[in-house]
Every structure is written in structure tokens, then in C-alpha cells.
Amino acid sequence: MVPRVTATPAALALIDKLAAKHGPLMFHQSGGCCDGSSPMCYPRGEFLVGDSDVQLGEIGGAPFYISRPQFEYWKHTQLIIDVVEGRGGMFSLENPEGLRFLTRSRLFEDAEWAEIAEEDARRGR
């Protein structure tokens, strides 16, 4: 099945670097406010997820979450996590690296969406 979230080679390299410094990681797609809509990287377990969050998958071995309202808005798209130069979110681990994670997206093709919708129905999403 096509993954809901993927990462570019540059993002995977930064994830490896951050994991070597901080241990196991996790991501949460920010929904706005202070850090815009950036994917935020935390030491695993330091950001509390709950029933209002959906795990989209993993990138570089790190679980990736999004809030349920955002999931409903973006469920027809694949999130592609990339890296660009600049400052990350103020609470995100990449902030001091001079790089920041960036979310790109693409709409699922019809065949991909049919497969995903069937899996979502099995999982009760």
C-alpha cells in the first residue's frame, strides 16, 4: 500500500543525525499557531499524542502524527517531508541545525485512494 507519509533522502539524513544526538524521535504535523504548519520533530514521548491524533506512518523509523481535524482535511494527500535551509519550529529538534523540515504534498491517484480508503474502512478511520 502507498504510504500516507514519506521522506526525501535529505529529510532521512537529517532524521538520522538528530536521532544520533537525541535518541528515538517522533513527528507531529503542526496545525498552525506559532510554528505555522511545519512538521515538528521531538524526542519520542516528549509530545503527548491522544485520541485526537492520527498516526500516518513512520519516516526514518520515527512515528508521524497529525491531528484528526487536519487528517480529515489532508486525507486525500500523501505528505512528503523534505528539508530546506532555514530555522525550524522553535520547539522542533532541527532548529539549531540551520535546516528545517517542510511538508510537501500530492493528491493520491484514484487507484491509490481506493486502496487507502479500503484500509481506512478496515481500521475504522
Side-chain angles (χ1 to χ4, degrees), residues 12 17 23 30 32 37 52-53 57 84 89-90 108 111:
L12 292 172
K17 182 177 181 179
S30 177
S37 58
S52 62
D53 295 298
V84 294
M90 67 179 133
F108 288 118

Side-chain angles (χ1 to χ4, degrees), residues 5-48:
V5 61
T6 64
T8 65
L12 292 172
L14 183 55
I15 291 167
D16 286 345
K17 182 177 181 179
L18 294 173
K21 287 183 179 181
H22 303 282
L25 305 174
M26 65 178 291
F27 284 85
H28 193 278
Q29 177 64 44
S30 177
C33 184
C34 304
D35 292 309
S37 58
S38 300
M40 304 293 287
C41 181
Y42 303 100
R44 192 169 301 171
E46 285 200 16
F47 182 90
L48 298 178

Side-chain angles (χ1 to χ4, degrees), residues 49-98:
V49 294
D51 292 341
S52 62
D53 295 298
V54 175
Q55 184 176 351
L56 292 183
E58 291 188 357
I59 54 172
F64 193 101
Y65 298 89
I66 189 169
S67 71
R68 189 163 304 282
Q70 272 192 296
F71 173 74
E72 288 302 318
Y73 184 73
W74 284 8
K75 68 183 175 184
H76 297 92
T77 63
Q78 181 182 56
L79 301 186
I80 304 156
I81 308 308
D82 201 357
V83 172
V84 294
E85 290 184 11
R87 300 282 308 219
M90 67 179 133
F91 300 112
S92 194
L93 290 176
E94 83 277 10
N95 195 358
E97 302 296 327

